[in-house]
Amino acid sequence: MFQSTPVTGRQDTEGLTPLPCPILPLKGEVSNRSQFLMKTIDLSAASVRDLNQALHDQAKQITEHAWTITHPDGKHNIAAGVDEALKIDIYGHAGYYCAGMNKKADVIIHGNAGVGVAENMMSGSVRVKGSASQSAGATAHGGLLVIEGDAGARCGISMKGIDIVVRGNAGHMSCFLGQAGRLVICGDVGDNLGDSLYEVHIYVKGRVKSLGSDCIEKEMRPEHLLELTELLERAGVKENPEAFRRYGSARQLYNFKVDNAHAY
Amino acid sequence: MPFVLSLSKDITHISKSFDKPGPNEFERGFSRASFATEQESYAMCGIVGLYLKNKALEPQLGALFEPMLLSMTERGPDSAGFAIYGDEVPEDKIKLTLQAQDESFDWASLVDKLEKKLGQPINWFRNATAAVLKTKAPEAEARAAIAEFAPEVHVMSAGRSIEILKGIGLPTEVTERFTLGKMKGSHIIGHTRMATESAVTMAGSHPFSTGADLCLVHNGSLSNHFLLRQELRRKGIVFETDNDSEVAAGYLAWRLKQGGSLAEALDGALQDLDGFFTFAVGTRDGFAVIRDPIACKPAVLAETGDYVAMASEYRAFATLPGIENAKVWEPEPATLYVWERH
């Protein structure tokens, strides 16, 4: 069911939209970095449960740094709950909650992602080569999520520290209740961006259909340009930071207002 | 030629013919609603549709579609159904799909009585608990005669091409009952149900007929169905169940009876139906997909040179040939997508 193939470097994998990707420097204990094991798991034969158990087992002792997952076929929860600095490539379209709760791992989805990709991510990175469905990066505390296509509705809903970079458009209610982190959208955004926003820094290059309650446009100061430049660079997205506008919280909904006491 | 003619100006519409994909298919359709808060529902259900552009695949329609429907079992294990289009009768004939509760129902004797009453020959065949009747008799007369001789029999669909087959049980039981895998046709839409609003019955299963060769499958739930049902009853629309989706179907049937186009009827649905929904509507020539402005119910579309497919989740496409090279995307909120053969 599981095949372990010793290879040097990354191999082209059979499956959907294979894309060559550079090897990132491996973290952790590796005696010989030029040669390592890459595990290929074919989800048309193995179950997601088996896959995720194998990935979770790496938290005890790393035996495989690089993982290739083929035939994801829209299955849910692929590579959810990983807790080690693994490199995971998924060739094809992933279903709901892919790479949810990710810690430390770098996950690349060579296809589209379903609802809630990288939801509750803590650290590491998730890159979606295609588009992502709704609630991408929901409630995530850290790490970097890059969506090379479009993001659906509610991108970054209740985000708590994650950085999200969307190269295309994002849907309505994006960054709803966003608490911390940065959300960068290179295309257009739908209705009610940043509704009930706390402290997320939002940068949008395209058109904003409408802003949600308590979300306002803010001045782009040098420190914001610097922050955005660094973020775009880290995401590998070539855009001119000066073409973006910044949005943030007006901070009017933070606390109970005594003016509203008569309503009770 | 575009199918959709007029919609409210703040509704984006996307119309496509099979020959010429529209230039605006990725155009953004923003929702009309302004919402301070939104509800997330855990109501499930799965919807799937498959339209074959390549006629050579028509003998395999059922075989291609069955795994799509079964892949949505987790989303809807209570009941399942599908509306298949094919085996079209000539313009002067009508095809009725009837369903009895009982497998041992005596269809031959019912057809006998109908032929005598209607004065027209009836070609017919039985498929498990259902029977398909083809006749030159007018639809209204045929319906009245069926109601007279066999009040317990449901008329599932009427038209020249459509056959609706549905029932309670796991989707696999339903598809096996009707041997879906061997069916031929040009297009098909189906539904797996997890009931939230009303009882699990055959009549409460989807698809719902909304007129000649028209049907509806629904994923979501409607909050104003009770009032709307009362209003539609006053307008003469007949309802068999307390099901919210049946109200949506009745609403479309009413709009279409008023003379509106399918696009106008669906545009009206966006304004008059309160709740959340993804609808797939089967028509004689194709199908349409629309999501409510909040769009919390999922939908995915896929298109290749051979077919257009829609589903609640990508999982349903995994077994389709050539899916790895298909264009796959999510339909926008409050945006009408129509495919039809020209």
Side-chain angles (χ1 to χ4, degrees), chain B residues 49-60:
Chain B
L50 180 64
Y51 194 117
L52 299 177
K53 297 183 194 177
N54 180 355
K55 277 181 179 283
L57 289 174
E58 289 189 1
Q60 299 168 49

Side-chain angles (χ1 to χ4, degrees), chain A residues 89-122:
Chain A
D89 280 281
I90 300 165
Y91 288 90
H93 304 308
Y96 290 15
Y97 316 126
C98 182
M101 303 175 279
N102 181 48
K103 259 189 194 168
K104 300 186 246 178
D106 295 311
V107 181
I108 300 179
I109 301 162
H110 300 265
N112 299 328
V115 172
V117 63
E119 58 86 28
N120 219 42
M121 175 156 67
M122 304 305 284

Side-chain angles (χ1 to χ4, degrees), chain B residues 3 214 252 256 260-267 281-283 287-288 336 338:
Chain B
F3 179 77
L214 281 170
L252 293 181
L256 293 164
S261 68
L262 180 64
E264 286 163 343
L266 287 167
D267 188 27
V281 177
T283 71
F287 66 61
L336 180 59
V338 180

Side-chain angles (χ1 to χ4, degrees), chain B residues 18 46-53 61-62 64-72 81-85 180 185-192 207 215-219 278-283 286-289 298-304 306-321 323 329 331 339:
Chain B
F18 287 118
I47 60 184
V48 272
L50 180 64
Y51 194 117
L52 299 177
K53 297 183 194 177
L61 180 68
L64 290 170
F65 183 74
E66 187 170 14
M68 293 179 70
L69 191 72
L70 297 185
S71 76
M72 293 291 101
F82 51 90
I84 186 163
Y85 292 80
L180 168 62
S186 55
H187 56 297
I188 183 166
I189 63 175
H191 186 271
T192 61
C215 71
L216 172 84
V217 293
H218 171 210
N219 175 204
T278 295
F279 289 141
V281 177
T283 71
F287 66 61
V289 175
V300 191
L301 295 167
E303 185 166 10
T304 71
D306 286 336
Y307 56 80
V308 177
M310 81 83 53
S312 297
E313 291 181 38
Y314 176 81
R315 279 193 287 176
F317 300 154
T319 51
L320 285 173
I323 188 65
W329 76 104
W339 283 267

Side-chain angles (χ1 to χ4, degrees), chain A residues 35-93:
Chain A
Q35 190 166 50
F36 56 90
L37 292 175
M38 180 162 68
K39 199 139 185 164
T40 297
I41 292 184
D42 179 351
L43 283 180
S44 66
S47 72
V48 173
R49 191 176 290 263
D50 289 342
L51 163 70
N52 285 344
Q53 189 59 58
L55 292 171
H56 298 168
D57 288 345
Q58 297 294 308
K60 293 173 210 147
Q61 188 194 356
I62 297 186
T63 56
E64 318 272 354
H65 285 273
W67 295 69
T68 294
I69 296 162
T70 60
H71 299 105
D73 292 347
K75 292 189 171 78
H76 296 180
N77 310 318
I78 295 170
V82 176
D83 192 3
E84 194 43 83
L86 309 176
K87 173 101 180 67
I88 301 170
D89 280 281
I90 300 165
Y91 288 90
H93 304 308

Side-chain angles (χ1 to χ4, degrees), chain B residues 80-307:
Chain B
F82 51 90
I84 186 163
Y85 292 80
D87 183 27
E88 189 163 293
V89 296
E91 219 167 315
D92 60 345
K93 274 192 155 182
I94 187 160
K95 179 157 89 174
L96 297 167
T97 308
L98 310 183
Q99 194 158 339
Q101 296 291 352
D102 190 354
E103 281 234 15
S104 61
F105 184 83
D106 186 356
W107 291 106
S109 114
L110 174 63
V111 169
D112 224 29
K113 286 182 207 161
L114 291 174
E115 280 183 330
K116 276 177 198 142
K117 172 92 177 181
L118 299 168
Q120 289 284 357
I122 295 173
N123 293 330
W124 71 282
F125 62 87
R126 196 191 121 198
N127 183 356
T129 50
V132 176
L133 278 57
K134 300 169 190 170
T135 177
K136 282 189 176 172
E139 182 187 335
E141 283 178 33
R143 281 180 181 268
I146 292 161
E148 182 188 337
F149 297 128
E152 72 276 27
V153 164
H154 292 266
V155 179
M156 309 311 300
S157 63
R160 284 174 56 198
S161 176
I162 190 173
E163 290 171 30
I164 292 180
L165 296 163
K166 60 188 188 181
I168 57 171
L170 281 169
T172 180
E173 293 167 25
V174 177
T175 60
E176 275 169 26
R177 187 180 309 151
F178 297 115
T179 52
L180 168 62
K182 290 185 177 154
M183 288 188 180
K184 302 168 191 173
S186 55
H187 56 297
I188 183 166
I189 63 175
H191 186 271
T192 61
R193 181 168 186 233
M194 184 181 285
T196 55
E197 293 283 318
S198 61
V200 177
T201 61
M202 190 273 286
S205 315
H206 302 226
F208 290 100
S209 168
T210 57
D213 282 319
L214 281 170
C215 71
L216 172 84
V217 293
H218 171 210
N219 175 204
S221 105
L222 303 176
S223 43
N224 65 338
H225 67 95
F226 190 82
L227 268 177
L228 206 53
R229 187 186 294 104
Q230 281 187 325
E231 281 177 36
L232 290 167
R233 272 193 175 132
R234 277 187 223 114
K235 295 179 196 299
I237 303 289
V238 178
F239 293 97
E240 291 190 11
T241 70
D242 290 328
N243 186 284
D244 59 332
S245 309
E246 191 190 14
V247 173
Y251 176 87
L252 293 181
W254 170 67
R255 279 276 184 169
L256 293 164
K257 268 186 191 168
Q258 303 282 100
S261 68
L262 180 64
E264 286 163 343
L266 287 167
D267 188 27
L270 280 174
Q271 306 186 45
D272 292 336
L273 301 182
D274 185 15
F276 45 93
F277 51 83
T278 295
F279 289 141
V281 177
T283 71
R284 204 177 119 223
D285 296 317
F287 66 61
V289 175
I290 194 164
R291 302 170 82 189
D292 71 79
I294 291 175
C296 57
K297 301 320 293 183
V300 191
L301 295 167
E303 185 166 10
T304 71
D306 286 336
Y307 56 80

